[in-house]
Amino acid sequence: QVQLVESGGGSVQAGGSLRLSCAASITPNCMAWFRQAAGKEREGVAFIYTGRAITYYPDSVKGRFTISLNDAENTLYLQMNSLKPDDTAMYYCAADFRCVSGLVPKGFVYWGQGTQVTISS
């Protein structure tokens, strides 16, 4: 069982930055950040294989978002720069041990409660 607790969300203007944190009870083999805007499906924005530090980002956030892990503190981060109003969503931390499905929601068993990010124009 893995407990995940996100923090760091908030409201900023377009062009600003935020850093999200996800405190994990343990560090599984892969972790990721997802987001879900109102009325839309949950989508992945960053993925990391924790043991190998391999990361993946979709084109929508590549170059603006950075996922990282502090192994010693079992804490996952998402640094978000050059934020846009389209980035407004609830952001979720997710984790899994099998890591067979990539950056899709069905590939993750463990989820945090989410933290809201709101970007104003």
Side-chain angles (χ1 to χ4, degrees), residues 45-92:
V45 296
F47 177 97
I48 185 168
Y49 280 107
T50 58
R52 292 171 281 174
I54 295 173
T55 59
Y56 167 80
Y57 307 91
D59 289 343
S60 58
V61 305
K62 194 176 295 182
R64 300 190 298 122
F65 289 13
T66 302
I67 189 171
S68 61
L69 176 69
N70 184 321
D71 276 320
E73 297 182 355
N74 289 338
T75 302
L76 184 74
Y77 298 99
L78 183 68
Q79 178 67 43
M80 304 186 294
N81 300 326
S82 302
L83 284 162
K84 307 174 182 178
D86 284 350
D87 295 320
T88 295
M90 183 73 79
Y91 282 71
Y92 298 91

Side-chain angles (χ1 to χ4, degrees), residues 3 7 15 18-19 22 38 50 52-53 55 69 72 76 87 89 98 106 112 121:
Q3 283 79 46
S7 61
L18 280 174
R19 189 177 80 157
C22 173
T50 58
R52 292 171 281 174
T55 59
L69 176 69
L76 184 74
D87 295 320
R98 297 183 64 204
K106 69 176 182 180
S121 58

